[in-house]
Structure formats: structure tokens, C-alpha cells
Amino acid sequence: MADQQGQREAGPEQSLGYEQARDELLEVVRRLETGGTTLEESLALWERGEQLAKVCQRWLDGARARLDAALAAEEPAAG
């Protein structure tokens, strides 16, 4: 079940804030683009990047839901 910040499960990556996950994801992408890693390291980085992207998406989805709820709550008052 999602909480107000869009987190669903308790786990190491789910406890990251949006900015933390985004910054780590940027570092993963930078390392992948730079190259110089083994295939195994590249695969591990890719997998971590996928996890981080999901965390970021959950945060963004949660923020969108909160905005939508706030806008919907204002509609009756405006009309």
C-alpha cells in the first residue's frame, strides 16, 4: 500500500528520498556511459539503475496523486 510520499514497500531503496535516488541514478548512468567496467559490473549497475528509476517513479506518482487530490478538493469550492 502506498503512503503519502508514494512509497510502497519497506526496503533499502524504498527508504531513499527522491533526491537521493535521483542523484545515485545519475551517478550510475555516468559510470555506465564512461565505461571501463566489466560486464558483470555493468550489469550490476544497470540493475541498480532500474531499482532507482522505480523509486523515483514511485515518488513522482505519489506527488502527482497528492496534487490531483488537492486540485479535486478545490473544485467544489471554486464552483
Side-chain angles (χ1 to χ4, degrees), residues 25-70:
L25 179 56
L26 290 172
E27 178 62 20
V28 166
V29 170
R30 185 196 63 75
R31 289 183 61 196
L32 285 169
E33 288 178 343
T34 301
T37 58
T38 65
L39 177 59
E40 190 65 32
E41 290 168 330
S42 294
L43 288 173
L45 285 168
W46 180 270
E47 290 170 346
R48 181 62 179 157
E50 288 290 326
Q51 292 171 340
L52 293 165
K54 288 177 184 176
V55 171
C56 289
Q57 190 61 55
R58 278 194 290 271
W59 277 101
L60 293 171
D61 290 346
R64 170 52 67 191
R66 290 175 68 186
L67 286 172
D68 289 345

Side-chain angles (χ1 to χ4, degrees), residues 8-28:
R8 291 196 175 116
E9 301 169 5
E13 64 275 349
Q14 280 80 17
S15 65
L16 290 174
Y18 173 78
E19 289 80 7
Q20 292 171 305
R22 181 202 59 212
D23 290 348
E24 188 178 340
L25 179 56
L26 290 172
E27 178 62 20
V28 166

